[in-house]
Amino acid sequence: MLGLYLACSFVMLFTYTGQIGEANAYMGMQPWDMPFAGYVVFAIGLPIMAWMAYRAHGRPADFFILFYGTITLTSFLVLHPITGPLTAGETGVGVVILLLPLLMVELFRVIIPAIRIKGLLPGKWVEYALVVALLSVIAMSAAHQPASAGFGLDVSYDRRLEGRDIFTAGSFLAYGLAMAMNGVSPYLGFRAGLYMRPLLLTGALAAVVFFYWLLGVKAPLLYVVAAFGLGVLVRRNLLSQVKYYFLGALLVLGLGVAIEWVMFDGYSAIADYFFRRLFTVQAEVQAYYVRFLMDGKSVPWSWLYGSFDPDFSAAYYVGEHYLGNPETNANTNTFLYELAAKGFLGYVFAIVFVPMLLVLFERLYQSSRNPSYLFLGFIYGLLVVEQAYTVALVSSGVGFLFVFTMLESGFAKDAAASHSKTS
């Protein structure tokens, strides 16, 4: 496992130094130059990450360990110098902030006891209800389509900006769209893979194509495809191997980058659209957040509680003062964001709530054997990599799906019957 993480670290660095860094120098990305302290922290942090991934066997919280640990922690360990070398203190503080949530998962696995909740609704009813909800959101949002709606890739960002004005934050339809894109569509994709239902997969894919047409968003397609793959792994009882599939896929994509460089004269779309977005931008923004924590600030701010200034937004502050654009909403993982926005109190609440909820999913899965809890751990673990944990829970529909999952019945009985036959 350590060898796999070393190889993935090399791929992150390989794509940055070979293309991404130079192509994005206008955005402030600098040549990679790791200071000695960075090598020390890397030598300590990567084996810890590999140890935790080695112990991941496909439980709901294991997805958080894989996604957050690989995308967030490992990218920081490898690429934090791309904004300019951090000091030893900044590097150490950054790694401790990012590593604690992973260790808290292990703590809650020890202290949270078994939990049992009896479901009431057949699984088909749950699917029907969610399909109706998805179709309702599509119909209502289509009636308010942006003038720029379409499939043009070059104007996808324009559609997104126009959509923000039409579907204003906090409105009923904005919540519905976020839940449909980030929660319900991937959930249906998961069920399609779990029960081999091509029609359900077709519907989920058609929904994300519509959302791309409407708002230019691309991530929901990745969520649906990944959730379908998760369902297939659960169906085939291969979930314990998910860590190898995930890390292996990153290495295959790294090979794809090298092939594209040979074929297209040094340019790779995989590096540009995948590695840059998933790892390089993650590391860059995280490094800026660490600098924000350690630098002097132009607003009243406290390590204990952050800032009470109603006009202060950590994401826009970092966008303006470090990325050079006051319109940039520089989101990062939920834990760094909470520390920057609400200080130590906000950070502590986040590193308690997120691991506790993920382990709660595990305990409920152990008692009910409902595979939907696996999906909840998967999608929540993925979303908190770049969203506030409250946004991922409420706005992205994880809480909504959690309620339906608790109401779903029949899995414990089926599991008991299967165990009896095996015995």
Side-chain angles (χ1 to χ4, degrees), residues 155-313:
V155 293
S156 61
Y157 191 66
D158 295 336
R159 297 202 295 280
R160 197 172 307 178
L161 291 177
E162 192 176 349
R164 289 177 186 174
D165 294 331
I166 296 173
F167 308 110
T168 54
S171 66
F172 173 78
L173 197 48
Y175 276 113
L177 277 168
M179 290 181 183
M181 290 187 293
N182 299 327
V184 176
S185 296
Y187 177 82
L188 296 178
F190 169 73
R191 302 281 285 217
L194 182 65
Y195 300 117
M196 284 292 109
R197 293 180 184 160
L199 186 60
L200 209 56
L201 177 62
T202 302
L205 291 173
V208 297
V209 169
F210 168 80
F211 295 133
Y212 173 74
W213 171 85
L214 184 75
L215 297 172
V217 289
K218 309 176 191 70
L221 176 60
L222 175 63
Y223 297 161
V224 168
V225 172
F228 174 79
L230 173 67
V232 172
L233 291 178
V234 175
R235 178 182 178 86
R236 296 183 178 178
N237 199 27
L238 294 172
L239 204 56
S240 62
Q241 306 301 308
V242 69
K243 56 199 173 206
Y244 300 112
Y245 292 124
F246 177 62
L247 297 174
L250 295 181
L251 297 180
V252 170
L253 287 170
L255 178 62
V257 170
I259 293 171
E260 282 190 305
W261 281 348
V262 173
M263 294 177 61
F264 302 113
D265 194 25
Y267 174 77
S268 166
I270 298 174
D272 199 10
Y273 290 100
F274 182 81
F275 282 99
R276 180 188 65 83
R277 182 68 185 83
L278 200 62
F279 299 107
T280 308
V281 172
Q282 276 277 336
E284 179 190 27
V285 175
Q286 287 176 152
Y288 282 136
Y289 268 81
V290 171
R291 290 182 190 275
F292 163 81
L293 294 172
M294 307 299 283
D295 286 349
K297 302 165 187 64
S298 60
V299 295
W301 190 88
S302 164
W303 274 97
L304 181 62
Y305 55 77
S307 177
F308 285 137
D309 185 346
D311 296 325
F312 173 75
S313 165

Side-chain angles (χ1 to χ4, degrees), residues 16-355:
Y16 181 80
T17 56
Q19 174 182 326
I20 298 171
E22 183 178 352
N24 293 272
Y26 71 98
M27 296 179 61
M29 292 186 185
Q30 301 181 25
W32 185 85
D33 183 17
M34 180 80 84
F36 177 74
Y39 285 108
V40 172
V41 170
F42 178 82
I44 296 171
L46 200 70
I48 295 174
M49 182 61 249
W51 171 74
M52 297 194 71
Y54 177 75
R55 299 178 70 251
H57 301 296
R59 295 162 292 182
D62 287 338
F63 297 106
F64 169 74
I65 291 171
L66 286 176
F67 295 144
Y68 175 84
T70 306
I71 297 171
T72 299
L73 178 61
T74 306
S75 69
F76 182 81
L77 288 170
V78 177
L79 297 174
H80 67 264
I82 66 176
T83 62
L86 299 179
T87 67
E90 289 171 336
T91 305
V93 166
V95 171
V96 170
I97 291 168
L98 296 176
L99 186 59
L100 273 177
L102 294 171
L103 300 179
M104 291 294 287
V105 171
E106 300 299 330
L107 174 63
F108 280 112
R109 280 174 166 166
V110 173
I111 64 178
I112 293 183
I115 301 170
R116 186 178 298 275
I117 295 178
K118 184 176 178 61
L120 301 172
L121 299 178
K124 284 285 190 180
W125 290 17
V126 171
E127 288 181 12
Y128 294 152
L130 294 175
V131 168
V132 169
L134 180 61
L135 292 175
S136 300
V137 169
I138 289 174
M140 288 187 289
S141 57
H144 299 84
Q145 67 185 62
S148 58
F151 292 102
L153 182 62
D154 56 334
V155 293
S156 61
Y157 191 66
D158 295 336
R159 297 202 295 280
R160 197 172 307 178
L161 291 177
E162 192 176 349
R164 289 177 186 174
D165 294 331
I166 296 173
F167 308 110
T168 54
S171 66
F172 173 78
L173 197 48
Y175 276 113
L177 277 168
M179 290 181 183
M181 290 187 293
N182 299 327
V184 176
S185 296
Y187 177 82
L188 296 178
F190 169 73
R191 302 281 285 217
L194 182 65
Y195 300 117
M196 284 292 109
R197 293 180 184 160
L199 186 60
L200 209 56
L201 177 62
T202 302
L205 291 173
V208 297
V209 169
F210 168 80
F211 295 133
Y212 173 74
W213 171 85
L214 184 75
L215 297 172
V217 289
K218 309 176 191 70
L221 176 60
L222 175 63
Y223 297 161
V224 168
V225 172
F228 174 79
L230 173 67
V232 172
L233 291 178
V234 175
R235 178 182 178 86
R236 296 183 178 178
N237 199 27
L238 294 172
L239 204 56
S240 62
Q241 306 301 308
V242 69
K243 56 199 173 206
Y244 300 112
Y245 292 124
F246 177 62
L247 297 174
L250 295 181
L251 297 180
V252 170
L253 287 170
L255 178 62
V257 170
I259 293 171
E260 282 190 305
W261 281 348
V262 173
M263 294 177 61
F264 302 113
D265 194 25
Y267 174 77
S268 166
I270 298 174
D272 199 10
Y273 290 100
F274 182 81
F275 282 99
R276 180 188 65 83
R277 182 68 185 83
L278 200 62
F279 299 107
T280 308
V281 172
Q282 276 277 336
E284 179 190 27
V285 175
Q286 287 176 152
Y288 282 136
Y289 268 81
V290 171
R291 290 182 190 275
F292 163 81
L293 294 172
M294 307 299 283
D295 286 349
K297 302 165 187 64
S298 60
V299 295
W301 190 88
S302 164
W303 274 97
L304 181 62
Y305 55 77
S307 177
F308 285 137
D309 185 346
D311 296 325
F312 173 75
S313 165
Y316 282 102
Y317 185 96
V318 170
E320 178 179 3
H321 291 83
Y322 294 91
L323 291 167
N325 186 350
E327 301 298 320
T328 297
N329 183 11
N331 280 322
T332 189
N333 68 83
T334 191
F335 308 105
L336 258 180
Y337 177 82
E338 289 297 314
L339 182 56
K342 301 173 186 175
F344 185 70
L345 294 177
Y347 173 76
V348 168
F349 197 86
I351 67 170
V352 169
F353 182 87
V354 173

Side-chain angles (χ1 to χ4, degrees), residues 401-413:
L401 293 170
F402 184 26
V403 172
F404 274 96
T405 301
M406 286 192 295
L407 292 174
E408 194 173 6
S409 64
F411 295 95
K413 184 196 304 184

